Amino acid sequence: MPKTKQFDENEVLMKAKELFSEKGYNGTSMDDLVQATGLSRSSIYDTFGDKHGLFLKSLNHYRNSQQGDMEKQCAKTDSPKKKIRSIFDYTIKNILSDKDRKGCLLINVSMELSAVDKEVAAVSLSNMEDMEQIFGSLVKEGQSKGEISKKFTPKALGRYLYSSLIGLRVTGMNRPDIDTLREIVKLALSILDVE
Amino acid sequence: MPKTKQFDENEVLMKAKELFSEKGYNGTSMDDLVQATGLSRSSIYDTFGDKHGLFLKSLNHYRNSQQGDMEKQCAKTDSPKKKIRSIFDYTIKNILSDKDRKGCLLINVSMELSAVDKEVAAVSLSNMEDMEQIFGSLVKEGQSKGEISKKFTPKALGRYLYSSLIGLRVTGMNRPDIDTLREIVKLALSILDVE
DNA sequence: GTAATTTTGGAACAAAGATTCCAAATACAC
DNA sequence: GTGTATTTGGAATCTTTGTTCCAAAATTAC
């Protein structure tokens, strides 16, 4: 009986992500969203509740897709150390292909809203902990294989690596230059070398 | 003949900075600014032109004050390596004393607005280049004194260090925990050690 | 084809936004 | 004290914002 939805929710979330990344949460109007997604106000409100609901769904959708991309990158090699490097390389690739300098939604809105939007702060923290854990596991594996220096603990290196990745993202947004970004990664990852 | 200004422009810029840091540029209303600064709409518009003008002045004022603070920190020691460490330590101190997690205005608005506000992007880039230069000079000096490893060039290390500092700031905003922040700094600066 | 149910487009609304404007208040110079 | 130039407070304005609402359109099941 029911008329089925005339749009793909994933596509809408991706387009919303583009807008929120570019203009920020408060800089994006409902009108922008209506125009970019092509669907009407009623449909948006009916499906996502309100602007904030759409935003949160879009944020989580982005988080998941990013995590998926990362796993794909990592699957290309068996070496834990190379997996780590591939995450950094992939990030550089993303920065350089981002012609409008929209940046990373998670980082952008975390900076814009963390102080006033506890839900966003929670998503951002949770994502950070995930990433630290992933890096930490890779380091642990790499250390036991002898690929990675044992000078520091996996936990400490996990946190350090994600902090470095964020630094890279922000630096790349300010100055998307491939050579300097690669050099920063080279230095940041030199800590892993086993002499 | 003229009636003199009834307020201190610096104070107003600092209070505006607080607001913009906490709520972001688009999240801060003119009403917020009127209430927080205590002065009237007319005075604000007369002095700063408009909201964006006040914002840019506030941003540059913050940038200068931060640079001043940093120089003060550095003046406490003669060792270039210790100067670098003091900048990181000072940043941790700032993060931890920032109870509302307002973060750093420069980083926040760079993430919120870079894509749509070229003036902000320019300030952010210029600040980054300054910082990289400062770090680079300190590294160069430290290398010639034998305090810092010569494995990488001052320029490369300058860029790496500022990228790390940003990573620290963002990580600290997500999770203001002194122990993990200190550990991240320890790892980030280990690259400077001369074995 | 018809009925039932849901989506959809767009008008309508109320709240909040930035900005303008002017009369009143103020402080300096003489 | 008087005059002048400037600041100041707050009302007023006009735009944009998020949200609601309802009639029309669309799709499925029978």
Side-chain angles (χ1 to χ4, degrees), chain B residues 78-110:
Chain B
D78 281 335
S79 152
K81 194 174 179 182
K82 282 185 185 163
K83 281 178 201 275
I84 292 173
R85 182 174 302 277
S86 79
I87 292 175
F88 280 82
D89 288 343
Y90 181 66
T91 299
I92 292 185
K93 217 181 77 183
N94 273 343
I95 293 169
L96 296 173
S97 67
D98 176 19
K99 292 304 175 196
D100 303 325
R101 293 208 203 183
K102 293 195 275 269
C104 165
L105 181 63
L106 270 161
I107 299 180
N108 292 5
V109 302
S110 154

Short mmCIF file of all heavy atoms in Angstrom, two decimals, chain B residues 78-110:
data_model
loop_
_atom_site.label_atom_id
_atom_site.label_comp_id
_atom_site.label_asym_id
_atom_site.label_seq_id
_atom_site.Cartn_x
_atom_site.Cartn_y
_atom_site.Cartn_z
N ASP B 78 67.58 29.12 27.52
CA ASP B 78 68.44 29.43 26.38
C ASP B 78 68.52 28.27 25.41
O ASP B 78 68.87 28.45 24.24
CB ASP B 78 69.85 29.79 26.86
CG ASP B 78 69.92 31.22 27.36
OD1 ASP B 78 69.08 32.02 26.92
OD2 ASP B 78 70.79 31.52 28.20
N SER B 79 68.18 27.10 25.90
CA SER B 79 68.29 25.91 25.05
C SER B 79 67.17 25.86 24.01
O SER B 79 66.00 25.85 24.35
CB SER B 79 68.25 24.67 25.93
OG SER B 79 67.72 23.57 25.21
N PRO B 80 67.52 25.81 22.73
CA PRO B 80 66.50 25.73 21.67
C PRO B 80 65.59 24.52 21.84
O PRO B 80 64.37 24.63 21.65
CB PRO B 80 67.34 25.59 20.40
CG PRO B 80 68.67 26.11 20.73
CD PRO B 80 68.89 25.86 22.19
N LYS B 81 66.17 23.42 22.22
CA LYS B 81 65.36 22.21 22.39
C LYS B 81 64.34 22.40 23.52
O LYS B 81 63.18 22.01 23.41
CB LYS B 81 66.27 21.02 22.70
CG LYS B 81 65.58 19.68 22.57
CD LYS B 81 66.57 18.55 22.74
CE LYS B 81 65.92 17.19 22.64
NZ LYS B 81 66.90 16.11 22.87
N LYS B 82 64.81 23.04 24.60
CA LYS B 82 63.90 23.28 25.72
C LYS B 82 62.84 24.31 25.35
O LYS B 82 61.71 24.27 25.85
CB LYS B 82 64.68 23.74 26.95
CG LYS B 82 65.36 22.58 27.67
CD LYS B 82 66.03 23.04 28.97
CE LYS B 82 66.79 21.88 29.61
NZ LYS B 82 67.77 22.38 30.61
N LYS B 83 63.20 25.24 24.50
CA LYS B 83 62.20 26.21 24.02
C LYS B 83 61.07 25.48 23.29
O LYS B 83 59.88 25.75 23.49
CB LYS B 83 62.85 27.22 23.07
CG LYS B 83 63.64 28.33 23.75
CD LYS B 83 64.27 29.25 22.70
CE LYS B 83 65.43 30.06 23.22
NZ LYS B 83 65.07 31.32 23.88
N ILE B 84 61.46 24.56 22.43
CA ILE B 84 60.45 23.79 21.69
C ILE B 84 59.56 23.02 22.67
O ILE B 84 58.33 23.06 22.59
CB ILE B 84 61.14 22.81 20.72
CG1 ILE B 84 61.84 23.59 19.60
CG2 ILE B 84 60.13 21.83 20.15
CD1 ILE B 84 62.69 22.75 18.68
N ARG B 85 60.20 22.37 23.62
CA ARG B 85 59.43 21.62 24.60
C ARG B 85 58.49 22.53 25.37
O ARG B 85 57.34 22.18 25.66
CB ARG B 85 60.37 20.89 25.56
CG ARG B 85 59.67 20.03 26.60
CD ARG B 85 60.65 19.22 27.42
NE ARG B 85 61.45 18.35 26.59
CZ ARG B 85 61.06 17.15 26.14
NH1 ARG B 85 59.86 16.70 26.47
NH2 ARG B 85 61.84 16.42 25.39
N SER B 86 58.97 23.72 25.69
CA SER B 86 58.15 24.64 26.49
C SER B 86 56.90 25.07 25.72
O SER B 86 55.85 25.31 26.31
CB SER B 86 58.98 25.85 26.91
OG SER B 86 59.09 26.76 25.84
N ILE B 87 57.01 25.16 24.40
CA ILE B 87 55.84 25.51 23.60
C ILE B 87 54.79 24.39 23.69
O ILE B 87 53.59 24.65 23.85
CB ILE B 87 56.24 25.75 22.13
CG1 ILE B 87 57.10 27.02 22.04
CG2 ILE B 87 55.01 25.86 21.24
CD1 ILE B 87 57.65 27.30 20.66
N PHE B 88 55.23 23.18 23.63
CA PHE B 88 54.30 22.06 23.75
C PHE B 88 53.71 21.98 25.15
O PHE B 88 52.52 21.74 25.33
CB PHE B 88 55.00 20.74 23.37
CG PHE B 88 55.09 20.53 21.89
CD1 PHE B 88 56.11 21.12 21.14
CD2 PHE B 88 54.16 19.76 21.22
CE1 PHE B 88 56.20 20.95 19.77
CE2 PHE B 88 54.23 19.57 19.83
CZ PHE B 88 55.26 20.17 19.11
N ASP B 89 54.56 22.17 26.14
CA ASP B 89 54.07 22.14 27.53
C ASP B 89 53.06 23.25 27.78
O ASP B 89 52.04 23.04 28.45
CB ASP B 89 55.24 22.29 28.51
CG ASP B 89 56.11 21.04 28.55
OD1 ASP B 89 55.63 19.98 28.09
OD2 ASP B 89 57.25 21.13 29.03
N TYR B 90 53.35 24.40 27.24
CA TYR B 90 52.45 25.53 27.40
C TYR B 90 51.10 25.24 26.74
O TYR B 90 50.04 25.60 27.29
CB TYR B 90 53.09 26.78 26.79
CG TYR B 90 52.27 28.03 26.93
CD1 TYR B 90 52.02 28.58 28.17
CD2 TYR B 90 51.75 28.65 25.81
CE1 TYR B 90 51.27 29.73 28.29
CE2 TYR B 90 50.99 29.80 25.91
CZ TYR B 90 50.75 30.34 27.16
OH TYR B 90 49.99 31.47 27.28
N THR B 91 51.15 24.58 25.62
CA THR B 91 49.90 24.21 24.94
C THR B 91 49.08 23.25 25.79
O THR B 91 47.85 23.40 25.91
CB THR B 91 50.21 23.58 23.57
OG1 THR B 91 50.91 24.54 22.77
CG2 THR B 91 48.93 23.17 22.87
N ILE B 92 49.73 22.28 26.37
CA ILE B 92 49.02 21.36 27.27
C ILE B 92 48.38 22.13 28.43
O ILE B 92 47.22 21.92 28.78
CB ILE B 92 49.97 20.27 27.82
CG1 ILE B 92 50.41 19.34 26.70
CG2 ILE B 92 49.29 19.48 28.94
CD1 ILE B 92 51.26 18.17 27.16
N LYS B 93 49.16 23.04 29.00
CA LYS B 93 48.63 23.85 30.10
C LYS B 93 47.38 24.59 29.67
O LYS B 93 46.38 24.63 30.40
CB LYS B 93 49.70 24.83 30.59
CG LYS B 93 49.69 25.05 32.10
CD LYS B 93 50.75 26.04 32.54
CE LYS B 93 50.36 27.48 32.26
NZ LYS B 93 51.41 28.46 32.62
N ASN B 94 47.44 25.17 28.51
CA ASN B 94 46.28 25.90 27.98
C ASN B 94 45.07 24.99 27.81
O ASN B 94 43.95 25.35 28.16
CB ASN B 94 46.63 26.52 26.62
CG ASN B 94 47.27 27.87 26.78
OD1 ASN B 94 47.17 28.50 27.83
ND2 ASN B 94 47.95 28.33 25.74
N ILE B 95 45.30 23.84 27.24
CA ILE B 95 44.20 22.89 27.02
C ILE B 95 43.53 22.53 28.35
O ILE B 95 42.31 22.55 28.47
CB ILE B 95 44.72 21.61 26.34
CG1 ILE B 95 45.20 21.91 24.92
CG2 ILE B 95 43.65 20.52 26.35
CD1 ILE B 95 45.97 20.77 24.28
N LEU B 96 44.35 22.25 29.35
CA LEU B 96 43.80 21.78 30.62
C LEU B 96 43.11 22.89 31.39
O LEU B 96 42.17 22.63 32.16
CB LEU B 96 44.91 21.17 31.47
CG LEU B 96 45.54 19.91 30.86
CD1 LEU B 96 46.74 19.45 31.68
CD2 LEU B 96 44.52 18.78 30.75
N SER B 97 43.54 24.12 31.20
CA SER B 97 42.91 25.22 31.94
C SER B 97 41.66 25.71 31.21
O SER B 97 40.92 26.54 31.74
CB SER B 97 43.90 26.36 32.12
OG SER B 97 44.19 26.94 30.87
N ASP B 98 41.41 25.19 30.06
CA ASP B 98 40.26 25.60 29.24
C ASP B 98 39.05 24.75 29.60
O ASP B 98 38.68 23.82 28.89
CB ASP B 98 40.64 25.45 27.77
CG ASP B 98 39.48 25.76 26.84
OD1 ASP B 98 38.52 26.42 27.27
OD2 ASP B 98 39.54 25.31 25.68
N LYS B 99 38.41 25.12 30.73
CA LYS B 99 37.39 24.26 31.30
C LYS B 99 36.18 24.06 30.39
O LYS B 99 35.51 23.03 30.44
CB LYS B 99 36.92 24.82 32.65
CG LYS B 99 37.99 24.76 33.74
CD LYS B 99 38.53 23.33 33.96
CE LYS B 99 39.67 23.29 34.97
NZ LYS B 99 40.43 22.03 34.93
N ASP B 100 35.87 25.05 29.57
CA ASP B 100 34.71 24.93 28.69
C ASP B 100 35.05 24.28 27.35
O ASP B 100 34.19 24.17 26.48
CB ASP B 100 34.12 26.32 28.41
CG ASP B 100 33.73 27.03 29.68
OD1 ASP B 100 33.30 26.33 30.61
OD2 ASP B 100 33.88 28.26 29.75
N ARG B 101 36.31 23.89 27.23
CA ARG B 101 36.76 23.24 25.98
C ARG B 101 36.50 24.11 24.76
O ARG B 101 36.03 23.61 23.73
CB ARG B 101 36.04 21.90 25.79
CG ARG B 101 36.42 20.88 26.82
CD ARG B 101 36.27 19.50 26.23
NE ARG B 101 36.09 18.48 27.26
CZ ARG B 101 36.00 17.19 27.00
NH1 ARG B 101 36.02 16.78 25.74
NH2 ARG B 101 35.86 16.32 27.96
N LYS B 102 36.76 25.37 24.91
CA LYS B 102 36.55 26.28 23.80
C LYS B 102 37.58 26.06 22.70
O LYS B 102 37.34 26.36 21.55
CB LYS B 102 36.62 27.73 24.30
CG LYS B 102 35.48 28.09 25.23
CD LYS B 102 35.37 29.58 25.39
CE LYS B 102 36.29 30.09 26.47
NZ LYS B 102 35.68 30.14 27.79
N GLY B 103 38.73 25.57 23.08
CA GLY B 103 39.76 25.29 22.08
C GLY B 103 40.48 26.53 21.61
O GLY B 103 40.43 27.59 22.24
N CYS B 104 41.15 26.40 20.48
CA CYS B 104 41.97 27.47 19.93
C CYS B 104 41.23 28.14 18.78
O CYS B 104 40.84 27.48 17.81
CB CYS B 104 43.29 26.88 19.43
SG CYS B 104 44.24 27.97 18.36
N LEU B 105 41.00 29.45 18.91
CA LEU B 105 40.20 30.16 17.90
C LEU B 105 40.75 29.96 16.49
O LEU B 105 39.99 29.71 15.55
CB LEU B 105 40.15 31.66 18.23
CG LEU B 105 39.32 32.50 17.26
CD1 LEU B 105 37.87 32.09 17.30
CD2 LEU B 105 39.47 33.99 17.56
N LEU B 106 42.05 30.04 16.36
CA LEU B 106 42.65 29.92 15.03
C LEU B 106 42.32 28.58 14.38
O LEU B 106 41.90 28.51 13.23
CB LEU B 106 44.17 30.08 15.12
CG LEU B 106 44.70 31.50 14.97
CD1 LEU B 106 46.11 31.62 15.51
CD2 LEU B 106 44.66 31.93 13.52
N ILE B 107 42.50 27.52 15.14
CA ILE B 107 42.22 26.19 14.59
C ILE B 107 40.72 26.01 14.38
O ILE B 107 40.27 25.56 13.32
CB ILE B 107 42.76 25.09 15.52
CG1 ILE B 107 44.28 25.22 15.66
CG2 ILE B 107 42.40 23.71 14.98
CD1 ILE B 107 44.91 24.19 16.56
N ASN B 108 39.93 26.41 15.37
CA ASN B 108 38.48 26.23 15.26
C ASN B 108 37.91 26.87 14.00
O ASN B 108 37.22 26.22 13.22
CB ASN B 108 37.77 26.84 16.47
CG ASN B 108 38.06 26.08 17.75
OD1 ASN B 108 38.87 25.15 17.76
ND2 ASN B 108 37.41 26.45 18.84
N VAL B 109 38.19 28.14 13.84
CA VAL B 109 37.56 28.83 12.72
C VAL B 109 38.20 28.45 11.39
O VAL B 109 37.57 28.53 10.35
CB VAL B 109 37.57 30.36 12.90
CG1 VAL B 109 36.86 30.72 14.17
CG2 VAL B 109 38.98 30.91 12.86
N SER B 110 39.45 28.04 11.45
CA SER B 110 40.06 27.54 10.22
C SER B 110 39.30 26.31 9.73
O SER B 110 39.03 26.18 8.53
CB SER B 110 41.52 27.21 10.49
OG SER B 110 41.99 26.23 9.60
#
